[in-house]
Amino acid sequence: MYPVADAEIRGRIDHFLATWYPVVDSYYSYLCASSELSANSALLELRASLQLLERKLPEVKVDSSSTNDNYFCLGNAFSVAECIAGPWIQRFYVTLPYFRGMDFEKDVLPPECTKVCRWANSVRVRSSVVKSACPEDEMLAAARRYYVSYVSPGAPGKL
């Protein structure tokens, strides 16, 4: 997963993760917002971090001889970057609609972030990510217990 002997690939993964971590931080700011005003501000920060990820996500040529439509940060190869990001991507698709009433792809992800959308979908449908997913009810219970103190108007979530 982490190519210790290949400095170039290791650098690509590290560069990707350095851009990924601010996405996670801004997601938490959005999820932990205590009012609609702070949620709106945090949403702008989340969108900006996703736009940066879009620009930093490498242009990869997916192997046309491959029978799958995978798009990972190293092309067709699933890497440690996706292992780290997988649980967060799952949270985006579960917690944001529940507590903020926002669909990750339709409402949060800026329309120009086509690479991020393709990448996130490749990660979230990967069998190892699906098999290791936290059950949604546990994910929501943990968010309620540790992070969320405010539910946006119109969102179905309960504290």
Side-chain angles (χ1 to χ4, degrees), residues 6-69:
D6 191 327
E8 179 189 343
I9 292 177
R10 204 173 53 243
R12 286 172 53 196
I13 290 171
D14 290 346
H15 179 72
F16 178 83
L17 288 173
T19 308
W20 170 251
Y21 293 129
V23 173
V24 172
D25 292 343
S26 60
Y27 156 77
Y28 264 125
S29 293
Y30 186 43
L31 191 62
C32 295
S34 58
S35 69
E36 200 59 20
L37 182 62
S38 61
N40 289 338
S41 176
L43 177 58
L44 294 175
E45 180 185 327
L46 177 55
R47 286 181 175 148
S49 68
L50 290 164
Q51 288 169 325
L52 182 58
L53 186 65
E54 176 75 11
R55 291 191 298 270
K56 299 292 182 172
L57 193 66
E59 292 290 340
V60 293
K61 293 181 176 36
V62 176
D63 181 1
S64 61
S65 67
S66 175
T67 57
N68 62 43
D69 193 31

